[in-house]
């Protein structure tokens, strides 16, 4: 397996949504050296951003101190996946380029990346890591990647803007957003009234999720709270580090990084649970898998096999957190101590077929009600979903 890394300024907002609006500012990126095999090059910008985000060795929790707890927790919550079925003798392997964003969208792929590197899978994969969501979408449309793990409404935008050249394969990540607080007593959504909330992701999933939950709890997001938008989650963490009182909304693994590095800071609310309380059974969906429609038509059997291998990977990651955390650091997604604590809270999943379509449509309808541009002006129809 080949792993290519493209890193931007700071650790990027991995769940931000690509919205093709003229006002959307493009983030500058710098090209990493490409690497193959077991090593991945990291640019100086990436190393600097780790420090800015608080991921220095001196502030990281001991790997051994959390590994035992992670092992105990995952055994209680997840079972080992069943072995992959054998491929037919006439199966033709495909070379598939897979684009992922650093964060939960790539954590579920760790075992697939490991298997591909060891030539243990039916297909051959080149995994292309990006830290900037804005650079990821065009790669799918122009053929730089064949499959992409990315925010769900980003996939909807791409499908609408391209006239159906993108399809959705599966849901791979549910809610990952949390409210954290330092010097503030936040025990319910009601406690957010009158507060200033520091966060990132304006114009994307974080904004719509926050405003939806606030509104459903009788809080006017434009009048009853002040939302301070930052360019990325590392900036949010550095901003509140020197403050005595602060309220933050950020996703995993950034919430874990903040808890480990900002004194007095702790998680206050799980926004997935708060969403579930007010959404009439509609799930909070962060990300999914998307494919170029023409590639899926040309390689239907290879796509089905990819989905089998990917599903196995997500199940393995959830059942083997300690081992998965080592792979997360090996592939330069997040450091092992952070991954150990963050993976169980990242809601890594695999949902395909009709259930995927129903859940995704319901979620996109909610986003559409707040801003039609967030899904590309309309909720995609049935043709958007790849159902074998």
């Amino acid at each position: 397996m080949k792993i290519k890394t493209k890193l931007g300024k700071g650790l990027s907002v991995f769940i931000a949504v690509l919205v093709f609006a003229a006002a959307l500012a493009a983030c500058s990126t710098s090209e990493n050296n490409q690497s193959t095999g077991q090593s991945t090059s990291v640019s100086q910008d990436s190393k600097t951003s780790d420090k800015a985000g608080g991921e220095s060795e001196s502030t990281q929790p001991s790997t051994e101190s959390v590994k035992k707890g992670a092992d105990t927790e995952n055994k209680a919550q997840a079972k080992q996946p069943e072995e992959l079925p054998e491929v037919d003798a006439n199966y033709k392997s495909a070379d598939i380029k897979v684009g992922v964003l650093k964060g939960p969208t790539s954590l579920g792929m760790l075992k697939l990346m490991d298997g591909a590197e060891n030539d243990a899978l039916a297909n051959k994969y080149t995994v292309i890591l990006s830290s900037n969501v804005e650079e990821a979408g065009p790669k799918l449309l122009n053929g730089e990647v064949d499959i992409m793990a990315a925010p769900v409404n980003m996939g909807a935008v791409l499908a609408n803007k391209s006239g159906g050249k993108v399809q959705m394969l599966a849901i791979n990540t549910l809610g990952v957003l949390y409210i954290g607080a330092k010097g503030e007593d936040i025990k319910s959504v009601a406690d957010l009234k009158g507060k200033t909330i520091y966060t990132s992701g304006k114009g994307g999933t974080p904004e719509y999720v926050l405003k939806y939950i606030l509104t459903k709890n009788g809080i006017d997001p434009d009048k009853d709270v002040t939302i301070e938008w930052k360019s990325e989650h590392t900036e949010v963490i550095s901003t509140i580090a020197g403050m005595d009182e602060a309220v933050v909304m950020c996703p995993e693994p950034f919430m874990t990084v903040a808890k480990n590095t900002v004194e007095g800071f702790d998680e206050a609310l799980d926004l997935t649970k708060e969403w579930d309380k007010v959404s009439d059974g509609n799930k909070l969906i962060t990300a999914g898998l998307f494919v170029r429609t023409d590639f899926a038509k040309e390689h239907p059997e290879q796509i089905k096999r990819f989905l089998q291998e990917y599903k196995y990977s997500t199940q393995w990651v959830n059942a083997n957190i300690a081992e998965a955390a080592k792979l997360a650091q090996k592939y330069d997604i997040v450091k092992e101590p952070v991954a150990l604590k963050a993976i169980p809270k990242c809601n890594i999943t695999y949902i395909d077929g009709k259930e995927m379509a129903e859940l995704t449509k319901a979620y996109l309808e909610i986003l559409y009600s707040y801003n039609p541009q967030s899904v590309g002006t309309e909720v995609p129809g049935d043709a958007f979903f790849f159902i074998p």
Side-chain angles (χ1 to χ4, degrees), residues 271-320:
L271 290 188
T272 300
K273 293 180 180 179
E274 299 303 327
W275 176 281
D276 289 343
K277 292 177 184 178
V278 298
S279 65
D280 299 323
N282 296 320
K283 287 186 177 295
L284 174 56
I285 303 171
T286 294
L289 300 172
F290 303 92
V291 64
R292 286 188 289 109
T293 303
D294 58 353
F295 186 85
K297 289 180 179 179
E298 293 170 5
H299 303 88
E301 294 304 314
Q302 289 80 6
I303 291 296
K304 291 178 184 178
R305 183 62 184 187
F306 163 78
L307 291 176
Q308 290 176 340
E309 293 170 341
Y310 184 87
K311 181 179 181 180
Y312 178 92
S313 181
T314 61
Q315 293 174 339
W316 183 90
V317 168
N318 284 328
N320 300 275

Side-chain angles (χ1 to χ4, degrees), residues 30-91:
S30 60
E31 195 75 43
N32 251 0
N33 291 331
Q34 296 179 350
S35 64
T36 59
Q38 296 186 357
S39 62
T40 305
S41 300
V42 181
S43 71
Q44 186 61 42
D45 284 348
S46 174
K47 295 176 181 177
T48 302
S49 68
D50 282 346
K51 184 175 180 180
E55 292 191 53
S56 64
E57 294 300 328
S58 62
T59 55
Q60 288 301 316
S62 165
T63 301
E64 293 303 320
S65 70
V66 292
K67 185 179 294 183
K68 184 176 180 180
D71 285 336
T72 301
E73 182 176 4
N74 80 25
K75 288 177 182 177
Q77 294 184 352
K79 64 180 182 179
Q80 295 294 333
E82 296 181 2
E83 290 300 316
L84 286 164
E86 295 289 334
V87 294
D88 186 88
N90 297 320
Y91 180 85

Side-chain angles (χ1 to χ4, degrees), residues 19-26 161 373:
V19 179
F20 288 93
L24 186 62
K161 295 296 183 180
Q373 291 295 328

